[in-house]
C-alpha cells in the first residue's frame, strides 16, 4: 500500500465521518411518508396514484421479509426511532404488538371509529384494544380458508375430481381424515397433505377460542378443541400421510413442483404461492374447493402508525385510503389478496372472479362465501408465542421422532415457559 | 526457492479443492441463469441457462443496486483502510514499543474480542438513535473502524517480521516513534497488512445482521440489505436473489486480484530479511 | 530532547487510543448495558419492568433449553473447528510449495468466504434437502437410505458444521500461508542437508515457526465458532416462519439462536441479555482453555 493510497483513504474517512451519508427526510418541501411492508401488498400502482393526486406527499415503500420486518420494527420501537410512518402488522403478531400499544398512535384520535362499519366485526376487533377505545390498526386483507387439491392425483386414487363433489367428501375434518386413508390406500407413494401443521391450524382457526379464552387467560390444557385438533393432525403424521414440510419453504416448493402431495389448506393469498411453486407444468391440475368444517381465517394484516412518526395525520389519511373498499377491491383483482371488508364481497366483479390456473375455479365466490360464514378464533396476546410450540410438536410427530401423545405432553410443558 | 516443487498429484488435488470451493458459487450462477423452477429438479443442474441477462436486469429494476454497491464500497473500503492504518499502528506499539501496562492492555484487547456481537444490538441501536445516525452509513462504519482482530493480527505480524535491532537503530538515529514506524515497521508488515485489508473489506462487505437493522433499505442500502429486499416476497424468487448474490461477489473478487499483487510483492520483500 | 522523551513515553499510548475509544463506546457500553438489562424484567419494546436481581440467572441454570443450546454450541464448535483448522494447515502447506499461478490458487480457496452467508445457506439447504438433495442422492448410490438432515441431532450438526468448514477453511489456510512465507528458508535448507523427511520438517520447523498464528486462529475461530448464528438460522426453514428454535426439538439451536428467540421473538430482553452474558463467559473460558492447550501442544512439536 503506498503513501498516496493511505492519504486518499484518510481523506475518504474524514469525508464520511463529517458528511454523513443518510437521506434527509424533507426533500423539496414535500412530506415524506414511509411504508414498512413485507411480502406483497400490491400497493405499487395505488401509491403512484396517491402521489399524483397529493402533490405535497412523497411515499416510499420498504419491503423486507416478514421475519425481518418484525425484528426491525421491534428494535425500532425499542430504540424510539427509525420505524416507518405506516407499518404493516400481520395477524399473527398484531396481538403481540397490541401489548405495546402506547408505542402506537391511537387512530381513534383521527376519527378511525367512524370507519368501523367497513370491516367485518372480528377483523375490526383484532386491530383494536381497550374494548374498542384504542384503534391500533386498519385492516387490509384477510385469509379466508379454502382447500386446494390436485385433481389428477385424486383421479388416480379413484376419488371424484369435481370441486362440488370433492367438497361433499369432507363436511368435517374427520371426513377429511377418512379421505386421506382412502387416498393413501390407493396411492401410497404420494402424500395426502403437505403438513399436518396446516390442518391443525385450520381446525383451530374454526373454533371460537383456541389457546386463550376471550378474557386472555391461557386455556389450551383444558380446551378439548385444541387437543382434538392436535390429535387429528398428529394422526395424519403418524400414518405418514403428510409430507412433513415447512409450509412455503424451499422444500415445499420443490414438493409442489414434483407433485408429491395432493392437498393443502389454502387461504386466498396462498393461491399465488402454489402457482409460483408448482409452475406452469401443473396448470389446471390444482383446483380449489371449500374447506372441511366451514370457513376460517388465516393471515391478513393491519396498517398501524408508530408514535414516532413525524406526520401521523398524513400517514393516517394514506392508511385510510389504502384500506378503503374501493382500493381493496382493486388489490383483490390484481393480486388475489382477499379484502377484509364484507361490502366488497357483494360486488359483482369480485363474485365473478375466476382463477385460470386453478382450473378456472370461481375463487371470488368460494372465498367470499367462506369469508361471510367465518367465525374467527380469538387471538390472545401471547398467541404468536404459543403457536410455534405446538407446530414444532407436530413436526416432531411427522419426522417420526415422537408419538402424538409424547409430543403433546412436551408441548404443554414447553409452553409454560412462554405463558407464565 | 528451495521449497519442494509441486508435482502433478498436488495439482490434481488442488483442482479438486478448488472445485469444491467453487461449486456452490457456480451453482448460484446456474440458478441465476435459469428460472426458479430449476430448483424443483431432482438433480442439481450443471449447465447454465439463458436467463442470466433477464435476471440481472430484474435485479437492477427491483432495487437500486448501483447505490447499494456504491454504499457497500464506501463502507467496506473505509473500514478496511481504517483497520489497516489503526491496527498496524496499535499492533506495532504492542509488539515493538516499550510502555507501562503494555501486556495487561493487550490482554484487554484480547478480552474484547470475546464480546458476542449480536448481544449489543439493542443498546447499540439506542445509541445510534441518540446520535441520530439511523439510516446513515456512519452507523455501520464507526463501530468497526478498528477491531481487536486487526490489532491482534498486526501485533502478530510485527512480532514475526519487525526486528528489534532495526528499531533500536532508528531510535538511536533520532527518529520519532511515528517515523520509525513508517520507515521500519510498516514496510516489513505490508503483506500482512494487505491480508488484513482484504479480510476486513470482505467482512464489512458481507455483514448483514446489523446493517439490516440500522440502515434504511431505500435511502442507504448496502449490497446485503438490497439482497434481502430482493427476497422480500412471501414466495422467494431464488433466481433473482442468486443473480444479485453473484453480482455482489464480483467486486470482492476484484479487490482480491488487486491486492494479491501486493501480497505476493510483499512476501518477496519479507523474504530478504530471512 | 524533552520532546523526544515525551514522544517515547506517550506516543505508544496515543496510537493505541483509537482502539480503546471505539471499543469503549461500541463494545463496552453495550456489554455493560446488557449486564444491567439482565438484572431486570425487561421487555424488548416496553423496556424496564422492574429490578429482579439475579432471578434471570437462576432461571437460566434451571432451564433445560439453555443447557441444550450450550451442548449444541459446543458440539457444533468442535465438529467444525477442529477439522477445519487441521485441513487449513494441510492446505497451507500445499500452497506453500512453489506453485505456478499461486495467486489463482489463493483466490480459489478464499472464494467460499466472499459469498454472502445467505447465498451459501440457500445452496447448502438445497444440497441437504431430504427428498431431492444431492447429498441424499449420492448416499443413495452407495445404498444408504435418505437422511432427514434437519430432523436428527447428529445429522443436523454435521450439515451445519460442513457449511462452516466450507466457508472458513480457505480463510484460515491463507492466514497460515502468510505466516509460512516468513519462515526463513535456510532452516529448510539445513534440514534437507540433514536428510529430514518432508513430514518431519513440517512438524519440527513449519508448525513451531508459525505457532503464534496457530494460536491466533484457534482463538479467533473459538470466538466465531461459539457465536454461530447465521448458518444454523438459515438452515432451519422455520426461522423465516417466526419460529427460531433451530429444529423441531431444538436439535441445532445454538446459544445465539436461543438468545435471538428469547429477545426478538418472545420480546424477553432481560432473559436474552442473561443468555448473552453466559455466552460471553463461555467464550472467555473456552478461549483461555484452547489457548493454553494449543500453546502446550504446539511447543512440543
Amino acid at each position: 500500500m503506498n503513501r498516496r493510497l493511505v492519504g486518499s483513504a484518510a481523506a475518504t474517512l474524514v469525508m464520511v465521518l463529517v458528511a454523513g451519508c443518510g437521506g434527509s427526510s424533507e426533500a423539496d418541501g414535500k412530506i415524506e411518508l414511509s411504508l414498512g411492508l413485507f411480502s406483497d401488498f400490491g400497493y405499487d400502482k395505488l401509491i403512484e396514484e396517491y402521489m399524483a393526486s397529493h402533490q405535497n406527499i412523497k411515499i416510499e415503500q420498504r419491503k423486507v421479509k416478514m421475519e425481518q420486518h418484525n425484528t426491525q420494527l421491534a428494535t425500532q420501537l425499542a430504540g424510539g426511532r427509525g420505524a416507518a410512518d405506516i407499518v404493516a402488522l400481520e395477524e399473527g403478531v398484531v396481538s403481540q404488538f397490541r401489548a405495546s400499544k402506547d408505542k402506537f398512535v391511537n387512530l381513534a384520535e383521527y376519527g378511525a371509529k367512524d370507519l368501523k362499519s367497513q370491516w367485518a366485526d372480528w377483523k375490526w376487533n383484532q386491530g383494536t384494544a381497550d374494548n374498542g377505545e384504542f384503534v391500533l390498526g386498519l385492516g387490509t386483507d384477510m385469509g379466508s380458508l379454502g382447500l386446494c387439491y390436485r385433481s389428477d392425483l385424486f383421479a388416480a386414487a379413484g376419488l371424484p375430481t369435481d370441486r362440488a363433489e370433492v367438497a361433499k367428501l369432507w363436511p368435517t375434518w374427520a371426513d377429511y381424515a377418512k379421505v386421506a386413508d382412502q387416498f393413501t390406500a390407493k396411492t401410497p407413494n404420494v402424500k395426502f397433505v403437505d403438513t399436518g401443521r396446516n390442518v391443525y391450524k385450520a381446525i383451530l382457526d374454526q373454533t371460537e377460542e383456541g389457546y386463550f379464552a376471550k378474557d386472555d387467560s391461557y386455556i389450551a390444557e383444558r380446551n378439548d378443541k385444541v387437543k382434538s385438533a392436535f390429535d387429528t393432525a398428529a394422526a395424519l403424521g403418524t400414518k405418514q400421510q403428510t409430507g412433513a414440510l415447512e409450509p412455503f419453504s424451499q422444500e415445499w416448493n420443490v414438493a409442489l413442483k414434483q407433485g408429491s402431495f395432493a392437498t393443502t389448506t389454502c387461504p386466498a393469498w396462498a393461491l399465488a404461492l402454489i402457482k409460483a411453486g408448482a409452475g406452469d407444468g401443473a396448470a389446471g391440475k390444482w383446483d380449489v374447493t371449500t374447506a372441511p368444517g366451514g370457513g376460517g381465517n388465516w393471515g391478513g394484516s393491519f396498517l398501524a402508525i408508530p408514535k414516532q412518526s413525524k406526520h401521523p395525520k398524513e400517514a393516517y389519511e394514506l392508511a385510510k385510503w389504502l384500506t378503503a373498499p374501493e382500493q381493496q377491491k382493486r388489490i383483490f383483482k390484481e393480486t388475489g389478496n382477499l379484502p377484509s371488508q364484507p361490502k366488497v364481497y357483494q360486488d359483482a366483479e369480485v363474485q365473478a372472479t375466476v382463477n385460470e390456473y386453478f382450473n378456472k375455479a370461481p375463487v371470488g365466490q368460494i372465498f367470499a362465501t367462506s369469508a361471510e360464514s367465518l367465525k374467527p378464533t380469538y387471538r390472545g396476546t401471547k398467541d404468536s408465542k404459543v403457536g410455534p410450540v405446538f407446530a414444532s410438536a407436530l413436526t416432531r410427530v411427522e419426522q417420526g421422532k415422537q408419538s402424538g401423545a409424547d409430543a403433546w405432553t412436551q408441548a404443554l410443558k414447553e409452553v409454560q415457559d412462554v405463558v407464565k | 526457492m528451495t521449497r519442494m516443487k509441486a508435482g502433478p498429484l498436488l495439482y490434481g488435488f488442488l483442482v479438486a479443492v478448488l472445485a469444491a470451493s467453487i461449486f456452490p458459487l457456480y451453482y448460484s450462477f446456474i440458478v441465476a441463469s435459469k428460472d426458479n423452477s430449476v430448483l424443483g429438479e431432482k438433480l442439481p443442474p450443471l449447465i447454465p441457462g439463458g436467463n442470466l441477462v433477464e435476471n440481472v436486469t430484474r435485479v437492477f429494476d427491483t432495487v437500486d443496486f448501483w447505490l447499494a454497491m456504491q454504499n457497500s464500497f464506501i463502507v467496506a473500503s473505509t473500514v478496511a483502510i481504517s483497520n489497516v492504518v489503526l491496527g498496524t499502528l496499535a499492533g506495532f506499539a504492542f509488539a515493538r514499543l516499550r510502555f507501562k501496562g503494555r501486556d495487561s492492555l493487550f490482554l484487554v484487547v484480547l478480552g474484547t474480542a470475546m464480546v458476542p456481537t449480536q448481544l449489543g444490538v439493542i443498546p447499540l441501536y439506542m445509541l445510534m438513535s441518540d446520535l441520530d445516525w439511523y439510516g446513515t452509513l456512519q452507523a455501520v462504519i464507526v463501530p468497526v473502524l478498528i477491531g481487536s482482530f486487526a490489532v491482534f493480527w498486526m501485533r502478530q505480524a510485527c512480532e514475526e517480521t519487525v526486528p528489534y535491532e532495526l528499531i533500536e537503530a532508528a531510535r538511536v538515529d533520532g527518529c520519532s516513534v511515528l517515523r520509525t514506524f513508517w520507515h521500519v515497521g510498516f514496510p516489513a508488515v505490508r503483506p500482512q497488512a494487505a491480508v488484513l485489508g482484504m479480510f476486513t473489506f470482505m467482512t464489512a462487505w458481507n455483514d448483514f445482521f446489523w446493517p439490516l437493522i440500522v440502515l434504511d433499505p431505500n435511502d442507504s442500502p448496502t449490497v446485503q440489505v438490497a439482497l434481502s429486499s430482493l427476497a422480500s416476497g412471501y414466495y422467494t424468487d431464488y433466481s433473482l436473489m442468486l443473480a444479485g448474490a453473484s453480482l455482489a461477489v464480483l467486486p470482492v473478487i476484484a479487490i482480491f486480484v488487486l491486492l494479491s499483487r501486493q501480497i505476493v510483492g510483499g512476501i518477496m520483500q519479507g523474504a530478504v530479511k530471512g | 530532547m524533552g520532546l523526544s522523551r515525551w514522544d517515547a513515553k506517550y506516543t505508544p499510548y496515543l496510537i493505541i487510543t483509537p482502539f480503546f475509544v471505539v471499543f469503549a463506546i461500541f463494545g463496552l457500553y453495550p456489554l455493560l448495558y446488557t449486564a444491567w438489562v439482565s438484572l431486570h424484567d425487561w421487555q424488548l419494546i416496553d423496556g424496564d419492568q422492574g429490578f429482579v436481581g439475579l432471578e434471570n440467572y437462576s432461571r437460566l441454570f434451571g432451564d433445560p433449553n439453555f443447557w441444550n443450546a450450550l451442548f449444541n454450541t459446543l458440539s457444533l464448535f468442535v465438529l467444525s473447528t477442529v477439522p477445519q483448522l487441521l485441513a487449513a494447515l494441510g492446505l497451507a502447506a500445499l500452497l506453500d510449495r512453489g506453485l505456478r499461478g499461486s495467486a489463482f490458487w489463493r483466490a480459489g480457496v478464499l472464494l467460499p468466504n466472499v459469498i454472502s452467508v445467505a447465498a451459501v445457506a440457500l445452496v447448502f439447504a438445497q444440497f441437504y434437502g431430504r427428498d431431492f438433495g444431492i447429498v441424499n442422492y449420492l448416499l443413495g448410490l452407495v445404498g444408504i437410505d435418505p437422511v432427514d438432515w434437519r430432523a436428527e441431532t447428529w445429522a443436523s450438526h454435521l450439515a451445519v458444521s460442513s457449511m462452516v468448514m466450507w466457508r472458513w477453511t480457505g480463510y484460515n489456510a491463507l492466514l497460515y500461508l502468510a505466516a509460512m512465507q516468513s519462515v526463513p528458508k535456510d532452516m529448510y535448507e539445513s534440514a534437507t542437508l540433514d536428510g529430514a523427511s518432508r513430514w518431519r520438517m513440517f512438524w519440527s520447523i513449519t508448525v513451531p515457526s508459525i505457532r503464534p498464528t496457530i494460536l491466533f486462529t484457534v482463538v479467533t475461530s473459538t470466538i466465531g465458532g461459539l457465536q454461530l448464528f447465521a448458518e444454523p438460522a438459515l438452515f432451519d426453514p422455520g426461522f423465516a416462519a417466526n419460529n427460531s428454535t433451530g429444529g423441531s426439538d431444538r436439535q441445532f439451536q445454538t446459544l445465539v439462536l436461543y438468545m435471538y428467540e428469547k429477545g426478538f421473538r418472545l420480546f424477553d430482553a432481560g432473559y436474552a441479555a442473561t443468555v448473552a452474558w453466559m455466552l460471553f463467559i463461555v467464550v472467555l473460558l473456552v478461549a483461555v482453555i484452547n489457548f493454553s492447550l494449543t500453546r502446550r501442544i504446539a511447543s512440543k512439536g
Side-chain angles (χ1 to χ4, degrees):
Chain A
M1 200 169 291
N2 59 35
R3 212 173 293 220
R4 230 177 56 217
L5 202 58
V6 175
S8 63
T12 324
L13 192 72
V14 171
M15 232 172 58
V16 169
L17 290 182
V18 173
C21 315
S24 60
S25 72
E26 245 77 0
D28 41 291
K30 286 189 178 183
I31 294 173
E32 282 196 19
L33 293 179
S34 49
L35 203 51
L37 307 173
F38 50 85
S39 177
D40 313 302
F41 277 76
Y43 285 163
D44 294 3
K45 276 189 203 156
L46 293 174
I47 281 173
E48 268 174 40
E49 278 176 31
Y50 193 84
M51 285 197 286
S53 61
H54 296 72
Q55 286 293 331
N56 61 331
I57 286 180
K58 190 163 173 273
I59 302 165
E60 55 167 36
Q61 299 182 75
R62 301 181 193 165
K63 294 182 201 167
V64 292
K65 262 206 171 328
M66 192 168 88
E67 172 265 323
Q68 271 165 19
H69 172 83
N70 292 338
T71 307
Q72 282 172 350
L73 181 58
T75 313
Q76 289 157 347
L77 292 178
R81 215 182 281 237
D85 295 291
I86 299 178
V87 295
L89 303 177
E90 204 259 347
E91 184 210 19
V93 298
V94 72
S95 50
Q96 202 174 354
F97 283 103
R98 200 162 56 200
S100 311
K101 63 180 187 313
D102 55 323
K103 303 279 179 189
F104 291 92
V105 171
N106 181 357
L107 303 180
E109 288 169 19
Y110 295 95
K113 278 200 226 165
D114 301 340
L115 308 173
K116 182 174 186 291
S117 60
Q118 281 181 24
W119 286 274
D121 280 345
W122 62 269
K123 181 78 183 178
W124 175 258
N125 290 339
Q126 276 188 345
T128 58
D130 301 346
N131 292 321
E133 288 306 307
F134 191 102
V135 181
L136 175 65
L138 303 179
T140 59
D141 59 327
M142 60 167 286
S144 87
L145 202 63
L147 210 101
C148 292
Y149 65 98
R150 279 273 299 240
S151 49
D152 58 330
L153 295 177
F154 267 44
L159 294 166
T161 58
D162 177 74
R163 62 183 80 88
E165 281 177 56
V166 172
K168 269 186 222 149
L169 287 177
W170 52 52
T172 69
W173 288 101
D175 297 318
Y176 176 79
K178 273 182 215 147
V179 179
D181 291 338
Q182 288 170 26
F183 182 88
T184 314
K186 283 276 176 56
T187 45
N189 291 327
V190 183
K191 302 294 182 191
F192 183 65
V193 57
D194 51 354
T195 163
R197 284 164 48 182
N198 284 356
V199 171
Y200 169 71
K201 187 167 169 32
I203 303 176
L204 213 57
D205 284 347
Q206 291 171 346
T207 62
E208 224 170 308
E209 293 175 329
Y211 303 122
F212 294 90
K214 285 185 177 157
D215 61 0
D216 219 22
S217 61
Y218 173 70
I219 54 163
E221 272 157 299
R222 47 202 165 84
N223 187 348
D224 293 341
K225 299 212 165 118
V226 178
K227 179 79 166 76
S228 93
F230 190 91
D231 287 345
T232 307
L236 290 169
T238 312
K239 287 191 238 169
Q240 306 272 306
Q241 290 166 336
T242 73
L245 294 159
E246 176 73 33
F248 321 124
S249 67
Q250 183 49 28
E251 294 251 301
W252 184 79
N253 283 323
V254 173
L256 265 175
K257 175 96 180 155
Q258 300 280 340
S260 56
F261 63 85
T263 68
T264 177
T265 54
C266 52
W269 47 263
L271 297 189
L273 299 179
I274 294 171
K275 181 182 169 191
D280 295 337
K285 290 178 181 167
W286 278 99
D287 207 327
V288 53
T289 187
T290 48
N297 180 58
W298 177 3
S301 303
F302 298 84
L303 297 183
I305 300 172
K307 246 192 195 140
Q308 43 185 282
S309 165
K310 289 194 184 100
H311 310 288
K313 190 171 182 318
E314 289 80 3
Y316 173 74
E317 291 302 323
L318 174 60
K320 179 177 145 189
W321 186 78
L322 284 171
T323 53
E326 304 80 64
Q327 276 65 250
Q328 291 293 304
K329 190 177 124 187
R330 281 181 53 190
I331 292 171
F332 175 69
K333 287 203 295 193
E334 279 161 28
T335 68
N337 292 353
L338 192 73
S340 52
Q341 287 97 338
K343 203 175 127 197
V344 183
Y345 306 148
Q346 313 307 330
D347 186 274
E349 273 182 279
V350 170
Q351 285 281 334
T353 310
V354 295
N355 190 318
E356 286 291 326
Y357 187 86
F358 284 80
N359 196 22
K360 299 194 177 67
V363 288
Q365 214 180 331
I366 292 174
F367 288 114
T369 312
S370 158
E372 282 179 331
S373 66
L374 167 82
K375 281 192 223 87
T377 185
Y378 172 76
R379 296 212 187 280
T381 310
K382 290 181 172 168
D383 226 86
S384 63
K385 302 181 183 184
V386 173
V389 176
F390 288 89
S392 287
L394 282 169
T395 303
R396 291 196 295 274
V397 176
E398 293 186 43
Q399 287 174 339
K401 289 170 76 81
Q402 267 181 349
S403 71
D406 288 349
W408 171 257
T409 313
Q410 185 178 328
L412 285 186
K413 211 171 119 202
E414 275 181 33
V415 103
Q416 284 307 319
D417 195 34
V418 178
V419 292
K420 71 172 174 225
Chain B
M1 287 268 170
T2 50
R3 291 189 175 112
M4 275 62 72
K5 280 280 165 280
L9 204 68
L10 176 60
Y11 279 108
F13 179 75
L14 285 178
V15 167
V17 171
L18 206 62
S21 294
I22 290 177
F23 187 68
L25 182 65
Y26 178 70
Y27 182 72
S28 328
F29 169 72
I30 300 268
V31 177
S33 70
K34 297 198 166 201
D35 69 47
N36 218 4
S37 65
V38 71
L39 293 174
E41 280 157 29
K42 288 217 175 194
L43 275 179
L46 293 174
I47 301 153
N51 292 4
L52 184 65
V53 176
E54 188 202 322
N55 288 331
V56 168
T57 317
R58 280 199 300 146
V59 170
F60 284 96
D61 289 345
T62 317
V63 291
D64 194 343
F65 210 72
W66 287 122
L67 175 67
M69 285 273 207
Q70 198 185 318
N71 283 339
S72 275
F73 199 78
I74 293 174
V75 171
S77 52
T78 313
V79 170
I81 291 165
S82 133
N83 266 280
V84 166
V85 174
L86 299 176
T88 314
L89 275 169
F92 177 72
F94 279 120
R96 287 294 176 260
L97 297 178
R98 298 195 174 103
F99 57 95
K100 234 184 178 171
R102 185 179 85 171
D103 293 342
S104 35
L105 282 173
F106 183 67
L107 275 182
V108 175
V109 174
L110 271 186
T112 63
M114 321 281 170
V115 179
T117 39
Q118 278 93 355
L119 158 160
V121 169
I122 302 290
L124 204 52
Y125 186 86
M126 289 173 174
L127 191 64
M128 291 303 166
S129 70
D130 288 343
L131 291 169
D132 207 3
W133 282 6
Y134 171 82
T136 69
L137 296 183
Q138 294 95 294
V140 291
I141 293 174
V142 180
V144 287
L145 274 179
I146 169 76
S148 49
F149 177 86
V151 180
F152 193 8
W153 174 246
M154 290 319 297
R155 174 182 172 270
Q156 202 80 57
C158 290
E159 290 267 1
E160 280 165 15
T161 46
V162 182
Y164 258 119
E165 307 85 66
L166 276 181
I167 296 181
E168 298 298 326
R171 297 290 293 155
V172 169
D173 286 353
C175 279
S176 71
V177 170
L178 285 178
R179 268 184 73 99
T180 312
F181 166 76
W182 189 244
H183 290 293
V184 183
F186 194 64
V189 295
R190 269 165 60 172
Q192 286 94 334
V195 170
L196 174 69
M198 191 181 61
F199 282 177
T200 38
F201 185 93
M202 264 166 32
T203 313
W205 186 272
N206 282 330
D207 194 17
F208 70 97
F209 190 81
W210 175 240
L212 266 178
I213 285 175
V214 80
L215 292 180
D216 181 317
N218 292 310
D219 288 341
S220 55
T222 59
V223 166
Q224 304 303 329
V225 175
L227 286 183
S228 78
S229 308
L230 286 179
S232 68
Y234 218 165
Y235 177 77
T236 307
D237 186 340
Y238 288 105
S239 303
L240 182 68
M241 202 189 116
L242 289 181
S246 308
L247 281 177
V249 171
L250 297 179
V252 192
I253 294 178
I255 291 287
F256 183 87
V257 172
L258 267 171
L259 278 185
S260 73
R261 272 234 181 100
Q262 276 286 341
I263 299 172
V264 176
I267 287 163
M268 298 310 222
Q269 211 175 36
V272 176
K273 133 234 140 174
Chain C
M1 178 69 184
L3 195 69
S4 158
R5 192 177 299 161
W6 187 93
D7 178 46
K9 202 166 174 191
Y10 295 107
T11 308
Y13 293 109
L14 200 69
I15 60 182
I16 61 170
T17 304
F19 173 82
F20 288 98
V21 170
V22 169
F23 172 72
I25 302 173
F26 301 104
L28 192 63
Y29 164 72
L31 185 72
L32 295 178
Y33 191 90
T34 309
W36 177 244
V37 170
S38 75
L39 300 176
H40 293 76
D41 173 6
W42 196 292
Q43 293 301 306
L44 179 63
I45 297 180
D46 302 322
D48 188 4
Q49 310 290 310
F51 186 79
V52 295
L54 293 176
E55 198 188 296
N56 281 326
Y57 289 87
S58 61
R59 229 176 95 200
L60 187 80
F61 288 117
D63 177 358
N65 292 339
F66 167 72
W67 296 109
N68 169 65
L70 181 62
F71 165 76
N72 289 339
T73 304
L74 293 174
S75 157
L76 282 168
F77 161 68
V78 171
L79 275 177
S80 57
T81 310
V82 177
Q84 178 199 132
L85 292 183
L86 289 176
L89 202 54
L91 191 58
L94 295 180
L95 290 172
D96 192 30
R97 308 242 205 116
L99 289 175
R100 266 164 225 251
S102 54
F104 170 75
W105 299 109
R106 279 176 209 160
V109 299
L110 193 65
L111 215 47
N113 204 257
V114 306
I115 306 168
S116 77
V117 67
V120 173
L122 168 74
V123 173
F124 274 78
Q126 205 67 23
F127 291 172
Y128 285 109
R130 180 196 56 195
D131 301 328
F132 308 105
I134 189 170
V135 177
N136 275 348
Y137 174 81
L138 293 175
L139 288 179
L141 291 183
V142 292
I144 299 173
D145 285 341
V147 176
D148 191 344
W149 292 96
R150 287 176 187 82
E152 305 301 332
T153 305
W154 65 269
S156 61
H157 286 201
L158 277 183
V160 172
S161 40
S162 73
M163 216 184 299
V164 179
M165 261 190 83
W166 180 81
R167 274 198 88 205
W168 292 98
T169 303
Y171 174 94
N172 283 310
L174 284 197
L175 290 182
Y176 292 149
L177 181 63
M180 284 177 187
Q181 302 268 356
S182 50
V183 178
K185 58 180 174 171
D186 45 9
M187 286 177 76
Y188 292 108
E189 276 162 12
S190 53
T192 316
L193 289 179
D194 291 346
S197 72
R198 200 180 278 176
W199 182 251
R200 184 100 203 257
M201 281 197 277
F202 178 69
W203 285 110
S204 55
I205 300 175
T206 314
V207 171
S209 312
I210 63 164
R211 207 184 67 166
T213 308
I214 295 178
L215 286 175
F216 176 82
T217 55
V218 167
V219 173
T220 51
S221 47
T222 303
I223 296 164
L226 292 173
Q227 295 182 23
L228 219 51
F229 170 71
E231 284 91 349
L234 295 167
F235 185 67
D236 181 7
F239 185 77
N242 239 19
N243 193 3
S244 50
T245 51
S248 60
D249 208 9
R250 303 174 187 271
Q251 300 92 311
F252 49 95
Q253 184 175 47
T254 60
L255 281 173
V256 180
L257 210 47
Y258 189 49
M259 179 184 99
Y260 188 87
E261 183 195 358
K262 283 290 180 188
F264 286 105
R265 289 276 203 265
L266 302 175
F267 292 175
D268 190 349
Y271 199 73
T274 312
V275 177
W277 255 86
M278 289 311 296
L279 173 64
F280 175 50
I281 292 167
V282 169
V283 173
L284 209 62
L285 274 178
V286 178
V288 169
I289 294 171
N290 280 347
F291 185 78
S292 44
L293 217 80
T294 321
R295 195 162 60 173
R296 199 166 302 162
I297 293 171
S299 62
K300 268 185 197 152

